[in-house]
Structure formats: structure tokens, C-alpha cells
Amino acid sequence: MAFINRIEISHFRGIQNLGVSGFSDINIIVGDNNSGKTSFLEAIQLLFAKANLGAVKKVITQRTMLSANSNFYTSFIKMFNQQQSDDERNVDIFAESNVGPLEFELRGTERIASGEEAVRLS
């Protein structure tokens, strides 16, 4: 089992840049409502999802299940920090652990497609 010693999160949900170290065997995360506690835990989940797309999709859609008005696309886009410039979307999560480095990275460009192009892309 991997134990995280240090984690760095960039551009994930409401987190622009966050670095945390000094973990112990048991850690308690506290904060005001909507301060990023769940986002922090989801980032850790993504580190352990590795290349398993089903696990990544589960992390992305966990919040969707709480809202009947959301779809996967909306949940996916909300995974990225909206303060990023242009249409480029990046998520970087890196951790040092007792079993070595753990990393989750996702990069892409958002664009609007319609008509035949949208059908072809889907």
C-alpha cells in the first residue's frame, strides 16, 4: 500500500495550485464548505486510478450522481480549473510516496464542434 509523503495539485476543480506535505499515518482534512476538501480527496483518487479510464470516469461522475441536471461532459469540464487561459485544459497531480512517485496528468484543448464534425468526433 502506498503512503503519500507530499502532493502537488495544479488546475484541478477549484484548486489552482496546492502543495501539501507532512502527512502522518492518520490525517484529518477540515475546512469551510466549498473550500476544496472533496477536490483534494478526488485528486488523490485520480493518482491511484492510473490508466484505468473506468476509475477516472467514476471520480469525474461522483458529483454528477448528486445532480439530475448534470451530464458527463459537464462533469468532465468541471474537473478542470476554469481560471486557465484560452481553451487549453490541463490537470497535473503529483505525489511522492513510499513506493515512488505517483502522477496523473491530463492535457487537451476544448473546442466547440457542431454538425458533421460533432458526429464524427463522437
Side-chain angles (χ1 to χ4, degrees):
M1 176 180 242
F3 292 94
I4 294 174
N5 301 318
R6 180 177 67 89
I7 188 169
E8 296 175 7
I9 304 168
S10 298
H11 309 300
F12 181 67
R13 296 207 189 267
I15 301 171
Q16 184 65 26
N17 288 301
L18 174 68
V20 178
S21 60
F23 291 96
S24 63
D25 291 342
I26 297 174
N27 300 279
I28 299 173
I29 302 166
V30 295
D32 293 337
N33 287 340
N34 204 32
S35 63
K37 300 177 301 289
T38 301
S39 295
F40 180 74
L41 294 174
E42 288 172 335
I44 292 171
Q45 278 184 284
L46 287 173
L47 281 174
F48 290 97
K50 302 187 183 191
N52 182 338
L53 290 178
V56 172
K57 185 176 179 181
K58 182 180 177 185
V59 171
I60 293 169
T61 59
Q62 283 174 347
R63 294 189 198 198
T64 305
M65 294 177 205
L66 301 176
S67 172
N69 298 330
S70 294
N71 58 34
F72 179 74
Y73 174 77
T74 302
S75 299
F76 181 78
I77 292 301
K78 286 182 178 180
M79 181 176 78
F80 299 96
N81 186 287
Q82 296 302 307
Q83 294 177 2
Q84 296 182 58
S85 60
D86 302 323
D87 295 330
E88 189 173 318
R89 300 286 178 240
N90 301 312
V91 171
D92 293 302
I93 306 167
F94 174 81
E96 291 178 359
S97 76
N98 63 323
V99 296
L102 303 169
E103 188 170 10
F104 178 87
E105 178 181 271
L106 186 61
R107 301 192 180 292
T109 303
E110 182 181 6
R111 65 184 173 130
I112 297 172
S114 60
E116 289 181 24
E117 182 183 21
V119 171
R120 183 176 51 78
L121 292 172
S122 66

